[in-house]
Amino acid sequence: MTKNVVIIGGGTAGCMIANLLARGLKTEINQRTVQITVVSDQEIHIYQPGFLYIPFHLKQPEELIRPMDQVINTHVHVILDRATQIDTHKQNVHLEKGESLPYDYLILATGSHPKVEEIPGLQEGGHMFYTMESALRLRDAMDHFHGGKVVVAVGLPHKCPIAPLEFTMMLEDWARQQGFRKQTEITYAYPLAGPYGTASVAEWAEKEFNNRNIHIETFFMIDHVNPEENVIVSVDGRKLSYDLLVVIPPHQGANVVRESKLGDKEAWLPTHRHHLRLDGQENIFVIGDATNLPISKAGSTAHFEAEILSHNLINLLHGKKGEKPYNGKVFCFIETGLNQATYISFDYENPPKPVPPSKWVHFAKSGYNEMHWVNVKGIL
Ligand SMILES: Cc1cc2nc3c(=O)[nH]c(=O)nc-3n(C[C@H](O)[C@H](O)[C@H](O)COP(=O)(O)OP(=O)(O)OC[C@H]3O[C@@H](n4cnc5c(N)ncnc54)[C@H](O)[C@@H]3O)c2cc1C
């Protein structure tokens, strides 16, 4: 009997675990005792961290995209379709085009996306950089910006918690390089007491922002954008006027999670913090942004989780006992301008501590961005 491992999602988490499993189970796949299937609703794999560079003309869209067959191991069966319903009783995944896929093990790697439509006026009055289209639109707006009021407003939770800080410091540097920093006022509006959710990073970011004369507007919970008056309004009625508005809306989990009633009200999947099982399900696992784990929704999180889960599943399929626990490991580079960066490394027990920024770390981040195409193959 063939054991079917079905993975939903062809992003960082889905591709990485598919490739790691295919390498570890090559013999079983060749003997047809195991089949690995990835269901992806996109024909391409997108390197989302590259969106950060698009508004500054530092990356082009084609550098961030590869066809799925160039990033997924040839031993993996890829289905380009959308999973519409997961039936945990019958162990089946229903696909939009009508197919029904049975699974023995299911891995949910369905990611997260911004709730753009829940901020009235945002699409007309503001910008984002969390999708390819929005990053390109922001690039056009920045091409026509020559100084004025910039507001970067953040809603929680969202993927890559660091990216809005990075964008703001890059923008400040960019305005200086363009020669209109003195005519530019930058405000960072955040829903908490500081500019970040973790105390050590918030303290560090506050100092960096103060040094760069970036104003922090705390406890700013976004209510709506008024495009006629060029203001963004908080739930408590505060108004910030802008000439250029960049918003990172709160995120939610995938629609299939909601449609299958597997997640909470924001469609985050309740996941065991060490073994990455979906609560109450012995043979369903969750990795990447889709989990409800109290850690950053980041590509590096997906990477470390994929390493642990693939090891455990390969063991299981080899009939061995024992599981390695995921300890919440995350590693993130942080751009602090156009040519300097720092990094943080942390886990469930150890909070992050940013080191002083340097151009060497910026080069390391640039190299890491290029390495994604090797990294995602599970080779490193
Ligand atoms: C601007 C920006 C900067 C970032 N910077 C960094 C960084 O510096 N470092 C870092 O570590 N991380 C960074 N990230 C975060 C990182 O990109 C994500 O955390 C990572 O992509 C998560 O991987 P994932 O596979 O869980 O989700 P995704 O990569 O989003 O993949 C999920 C996939 O599942 C597909 N899918 C969803 N539902 C279905 C369905 N029903 N059927 C089939 N397919 C489905 C989606 O279309 C998508 O292709 C950044 C993200 C952004 C937007």
Side-chain angles (χ1 to χ4, degrees):
M1 275 283 280
T2 306
K3 291 275 184 211
N4 284 306
V5 181
V6 173
I7 300 162
I8 310 183
T12 297
C15 288
M16 197 166 277
I17 193 145
N19 290 332
L20 287 166
L21 289 174
R23 283 157 62 84
L25 296 165
K26 200 170 167 185
T27 310
E28 290 77 4
I29 294 170
N30 284 334
Q31 290 169 346
R32 296 178 193 277
T33 54
V34 170
Q35 173 159 281
I36 316 278
T37 303
V38 169
V39 179
S40 171
D41 60 2
Q42 303 205 34
E43 288 176 19
I44 48 169
H45 174 88
I46 306 175
Y47 182 56
Q48 298 174 33
F51 296 158
L52 177 66
Y53 303 90
I54 295 247
F56 303 98
H57 290 268
L58 294 172
K59 287 266 180 234
Q60 298 303 320
E62 56 276 15
E63 294 176 80
L64 310 181
I65 290 170
R66 298 259 167 107
M68 214 44 104
D69 59 4
Q70 280 183 23
V71 287
I72 293 204
N73 189 302
T74 48
H75 288 87
V76 174
H77 176 49
V78 178
I79 299 179
L80 298 177
D81 202 348
R82 194 176 86 83
T84 51
Q85 187 71 231
I86 298 156
D87 185 333
T88 56
H89 297 291
K90 293 190 182 148
Q91 301 204 168
N92 256 320
V93 177
H94 297 282
L95 306 184
E96 200 161 59
K97 292 176 192 157
E99 201 179 336
S100 181
L101 279 181
Y103 66 82
D104 296 287
Y105 297 99
L106 178 65
I107 301 172
L108 300 172
T110 42
S112 65
H113 57 275
K115 295 192 281 185
V116 183
E117 62 294 339
E118 289 193 15
I119 304 180
L122 172 58
Q123 309 215 46
E124 302 80 13
H127 290 276
M128 296 200 312
F129 61 94
Y130 264 55
T131 61
M132 185 69 87
E133 297 69 30
S134 65
L136 287 167
R137 231 185 103 226
L138 175 56
R139 183 178 76 181
D140 290 345
M142 283 171 59
D143 284 349
H144 295 97
F145 180 81
H146 304 292
K149 287 184 180 173
V150 183
V151 175
V152 180
V154 184
L156 293 174
H158 62 85
K159 63 182 132 190
C160 195
I162 285 296
L165 294 176
E166 294 185 284
F167 175 80
T168 307
M169 289 187 273
M170 289 168 79
L171 180 116
E172 195 273 335
D173 204 1
W174 169 81
R176 201 154 357 97
Q177 285 192 7
Q178 299 290 314
F180 46 72
R181 176 65 184 97
K182 282 195 180 129
Q183 297 82 38
T184 304
E185 198 182 295
I186 306 172
T187 299
Y188 191 77
Y190 203 70
L192 303 178
Y196 197 79
T198 310
S200 54
V201 178
E203 209 175 289
W204 167 81
E206 197 169 333
K207 277 192 200 133
E208 294 287 334
F209 277 14
N210 287 341
N211 290 341
R212 291 167 166 81
N213 198 19
I214 297 168
H215 170 70
I216 304 167
E217 186 75 22
T218 55
F219 296 115
F220 192 93
M221 292 183 63
I222 305 166
D223 186 68
H224 69 277
V225 176
N226 182 335
E228 281 83 42
E229 291 179 17
N230 277 15
V231 289
I232 178 162
V233 185
S234 66
V235 172
D236 60 10
R238 271 176 288 160
K239 290 181 178 179
L240 297 175
S241 61
Y242 65 80
D243 297 297
L244 178 69
L245 173 67
V246 181
V247 174
I248 292 84
H251 282 41
Q252 63 187 348
N255 296 339
V256 65
V257 171
R258 200 180 296 285
E259 285 151 16
S260 309
K261 297 188 173 53
L262 291 178
D264 62 20
K265 69 178 183 7
E266 297 298 335
W268 304 122
L269 287 154
T271 307
H272 189 282
R273 61 198 256 122
H274 294 304
H275 300 303
L276 306 172
R277 272 194 181 77
L278 179 66
D279 280 2
Q281 302 288 334
E282 196 51 33
N283 58 345
I284 305 182
F285 300 87
V286 193
I287 55 170
D289 289 358
T291 75
N292 71 342
L293 293 175
I295 40 161
S296 298
K297 295 191 183 300
S300 78
T301 310
H303 179 148
F304 295 127
E305 289 171 343
E307 283 180 349
I308 297 287
L309 183 57
S310 60
H311 170 274
N312 292 345
L313 274 176
I314 291 166
N315 246 5
L316 195 67
L317 287 158
H318 283 162
K320 293 184 193 157
K321 288 214 165 99
E323 289 185 340
K324 268 195 201 171
Y326 171 62
N327 68 353
K329 186 174 172 189
V330 184
F331 179 95
C332 289
F333 284 110
I334 309 173
E335 300 283 17
T336 55
L338 295 178
N339 54 18
Q340 54 167 351
T342 179
Y343 65 87
I344 46 176
S345 175
F346 52 101
D347 57 38
Y348 290 139
E349 307 301 332
N350 302 291
K353 285 189 207 129
V355 298
S358 73
K359 64 178 178 185
W360 304 113
V361 183
H362 166 72
F363 290 142
K365 174 152 186 168
S366 306
Y368 181 80
N369 286 333
E370 301 308 318
M371 290 299 284
H372 175 73
W373 305 109
V374 182
N375 222 348
V376 77
K377 290 192 172 163
I379 296 169
L380 287 181

